Amino acid sequence: MAKVIVVTSGKGGVGKTTSTAAIGAALAQTGNKVVVVDFDVGLRNLDLVMGAERRVVFDFVNVIQGEATLSQALIKDKRLENLYILAASQTRDKDALTKEGVEKVIEELREKFDWIICDSPAGIERGAKMAMHFADEAIIITNPEVSSVRDSDRIIGILDSTTAKSQRGEKMEKHLLITRYAANRAARGDMLNTDDILDILSIPLVGIIPESEDVLKASNLGAPITLSSPNSNAARAYSEAVKRLQGEKIEVTVPKDKKGFFDWLMGRSGS
Amino acid sequence: MSFFSNFFSKRNTAPVAKDRLQILLAHERSSAQGNSDLLQKLQKEIMAVIQKHISIDQEKIHIKVDRGNDFSTLEIDIEVPQQDNIQS
């Protein structure tokens, strides 16, 4: 049965789009039919991170407004057979996504795909609420940083009170994904560690993505990190998170501080 | 570490990022000047002309743009029904 997952956070810049791309690709790599949907009307970026920016003809808003059919707007990934992208529009009209329109598109996507991963815009405005409204489950992206954790707490509250699922009296399943985790800084006590974050937010942890330069390199190239460097620590962490999403019971390992030989020789801590 | 990793890296990704952004932004800036819905307009008008003579299925139309450095191509691929369905 198709599953709709919203990737959300309160604060901007924590890695929602990067994570959507990485998770979508990892799910598709395991044989699922996946579509990643950009809900950030006005400021789209998922197409860029997925490397599809030069192939967008029609977008989400065109489909809602009847200017194109869904199959015309779905962009097939060049690397993976069963991965598709639905781009956001750059229209300035923030009200272009109507609840009825979004519902119709999501229902149509449910018939075609196994997983629908919705990349939410930051904040708690209309666009973000629209992205989460029809979701079955949510992935909340948090950095080990006070402002990010606080805003995630707010988002969890909104997920529990305003979504279609909550209005039906059901509980939305929530997963916490911690990104940009720097083990050395956490070990030094200069960064909130996983237990601190879990204590505060108290939702189940789906993965910890280590801070890694491979993530930036992947978005430079327009390839999800799980495709461009599948053996990197960050990609492995995403792949494990995806297995947990699919119900596998794998223990979450907290990234350890690995000092390089040169760092050790120079007597400084790696960054 | 960064000296060594730079020294041994096969290819830097920043120039690729710059190229991709330049192409994308050139398109977005030009489309911000009033013809942002050019593609929809073109599609509608072309469809209207064709539909005068042939009935076509919306699902059987494939539209593709390829944005390049120097030029872009717009490809409209319409699957036309069998001859006996064509109204004259």
Side-chain angles (χ1 to χ4, degrees), chain B residues 16-35:
Chain B
V16 182
K18 191 182 170 197
D19 279 351
R20 296 177 62 220
L21 280 171
Q22 273 174 334
I23 296 168
L24 181 67
L25 295 182
H27 269 275
E28 284 178 1
R29 284 175 191 146
S30 65
S31 64
Q33 287 155 9
N35 59 348

Side-chain angles (χ1 to χ4, degrees), chain A residues 190-266:
Chain A
D190 291 336
M191 183 185 260
L192 284 174
N193 66 37
T194 319
D195 291 338
D196 297 337
I197 301 170
L198 287 171
D199 264 355
I200 298 165
L201 296 178
S202 57
I203 59 169
L205 185 63
V206 77
I208 306 168
I209 313 301
E211 168 86 52
S212 157
E213 58 180 57
D214 297 319
V215 175
L216 179 61
K217 282 188 196 162
S219 58
N220 280 346
L221 299 174
I225 182 152
T226 38
L227 288 184
S228 70
S229 37
N231 294 320
S232 64
N233 287 338
R236 282 171 200 267
Y238 274 119
S239 299
E240 276 192 12
V242 159
K243 284 185 188 155
R244 289 183 200 106
L245 274 183
Q246 292 173 294
E248 279 187 48
K249 300 262 177 283
I250 314 168
E251 201 159 330
V252 183
T253 49
V254 178
K256 287 277 181 338
D257 185 10
K258 275 184 285 183
K259 271 192 194 174
F261 174 69
F262 289 102
D263 298 321
W264 173 79
L265 199 67
M266 310 290 268

Side-chain angles (χ1 to χ4, degrees), chain A residues 137-210:
Chain A
E137 292 180 19
I139 298 175
I140 293 119
I141 313 276
T142 304
N143 288 164
E145 192 188 309
V146 284
S147 57
S148 173
V149 176
R150 184 231 200 138
D151 288 353
S152 289
D153 187 60
R154 182 104 163 80
I155 285 294
I156 291 168
I158 291 171
L159 282 165
D160 284 334
S161 62
T162 68
T163 56
K165 230 179 168 183
S166 70
Q167 285 160 4
R168 289 196 301 266
E170 295 167 41
K171 205 160 167 56
M172 181 175 292
E173 203 177 322
K174 295 175 287 287
H175 311 272
L176 182 69
L177 184 70
I178 300 173
T179 57
R180 309 201 65 166
Y181 187 83
N184 55 344
R185 275 180 270 164
R188 278 206 309 269
D190 291 336
M191 183 185 260
L192 284 174
N193 66 37
T194 319
D195 291 338
D196 297 337
I197 301 170
L198 287 171
D199 264 355
I200 298 165
L201 296 178
S202 57
I203 59 169
L205 185 63
V206 77
I208 306 168
I209 313 301

Side-chain angles (χ1 to χ4, degrees), chain A:
Chain A
M1 213 183 85
K3 211 172 240 185
V4 182
I5 295 199
V6 60
V7 177
T8 182
S9 76
K11 193 173 169 294
V14 295
K16 283 183 295 296
T17 303
T18 316
S19 298
T20 303
I23 290 168
L27 277 167
Q29 275 172 308
T30 56
N32 295 280
K33 204 163 177 219
V34 182
V35 60
V36 289
V37 184
D38 194 347
F39 272 78
D40 204 349
V41 168
L43 293 167
R44 74 174 186 212
N45 266 325
L46 184 59
D47 54 333
L48 186 60
V49 172
M50 295 284 296
E53 75 280 1
R54 286 160 79 170
R55 295 160 55 216
V56 179
V57 184
F58 296 117
D59 55 50
F60 200 172
V61 171
N62 291 142
V63 178
I64 286 182
Q65 298 184 338
E67 291 152 349
T69 62
L70 183 60
S71 54
Q72 286 168 346
L74 285 171
I75 306 166
K76 193 171 182 296
D77 187 85
K78 280 189 169 161
R79 299 148 296 212
L80 292 175
E81 188 65 23
N82 41 0
L83 178 61
Y84 288 78
I85 305 151
L86 183 56
S89 165
Q90 285 199 306
T91 167
R92 274 179 221 138
D93 179 12
K94 290 278 178 195
D95 297 331
L97 296 182
T98 60
K99 207 170 257 182
E100 299 70 34
V102 172
E103 182 171 25
K104 199 164 157 270
V105 174
I106 296 281
E107 287 315 310
E108 223 176 307
L109 290 172
R110 274 185 196 271
E111 287 165 21
K112 294 179 192 238
F113 294 95
D114 303 320
W115 294 81
I116 300 146
I117 315 288
C118 306
D119 184 20
S120 166
I124 52 170
E125 298 293 318
R126 191 187 157 82
K129 287 189 174 160
M130 211 53 94
M132 64 176 74
H133 194 80
F134 298 103
D136 303 318
E137 292 180 19
I139 298 175
I140 293 119
I141 313 276
T142 304
N143 288 164
E145 192 188 309
V146 284
S147 57
S148 173
V149 176
R150 184 231 200 138
D151 288 353
S152 289
D153 187 60
R154 182 104 163 80
I155 285 294
I156 291 168
I158 291 171
L159 282 165
D160 284 334
S161 62
T162 68
T163 56
K165 230 179 168 183
S166 70
Q167 285 160 4
R168 289 196 301 266
E170 295 167 41
K171 205 160 167 56
M172 181 175 292
E173 203 177 322
K174 295 175 287 287
H175 311 272
L176 182 69
L177 184 70
I178 300 173
T179 57
R180 309 201 65 166
Y181 187 83
N184 55 344
R185 275 180 270 164
R188 278 206 309 269
D190 291 336
M191 183 185 260
L192 284 174
N193 66 37
T194 319
D195 291 338
D196 297 337
I197 301 170
L198 287 171
D199 264 355
I200 298 165
L201 296 178
S202 57
I203 59 169
L205 185 63
V206 77
I208 306 168
I209 313 301
E211 168 86 52
S212 157
E213 58 180 57
D214 297 319
V215 175
L216 179 61
K217 282 188 196 162
S219 58
N220 280 346
L221 299 174
I225 182 152
T226 38
L227 288 184
S228 70
S229 37
N231 294 320
S232 64
N233 287 338
R236 282 171 200 267
Y238 274 119
S239 299
E240 276 192 12
V242 159
K243 284 185 188 155
R244 289 183 200 106
L245 274 183
Q246 292 173 294
E248 279 187 48
K249 300 262 177 283
I250 314 168
E251 201 159 330
V252 183
T253 49
V254 178
K256 287 277 181 338
D257 185 10
K258 275 184 285 183
K259 271 192 194 174
F261 174 69
F262 289 102
D263 298 321
W264 173 79
L265 199 67
M266 310 290 268
R268 50 179 195 143
S269 54
S271 57

Side-chain angles (χ1 to χ4, degrees), chain B residues 48-62:
Chain B
V49 171
I50 295 171
Q51 269 166 338
K52 263 197 217 166
H53 305 283
I54 309 168
S55 73
I56 39 178
D57 182 356
Q58 272 289 315
E59 291 279 341
K60 300 271 167 69
I61 308 163
H62 301 279

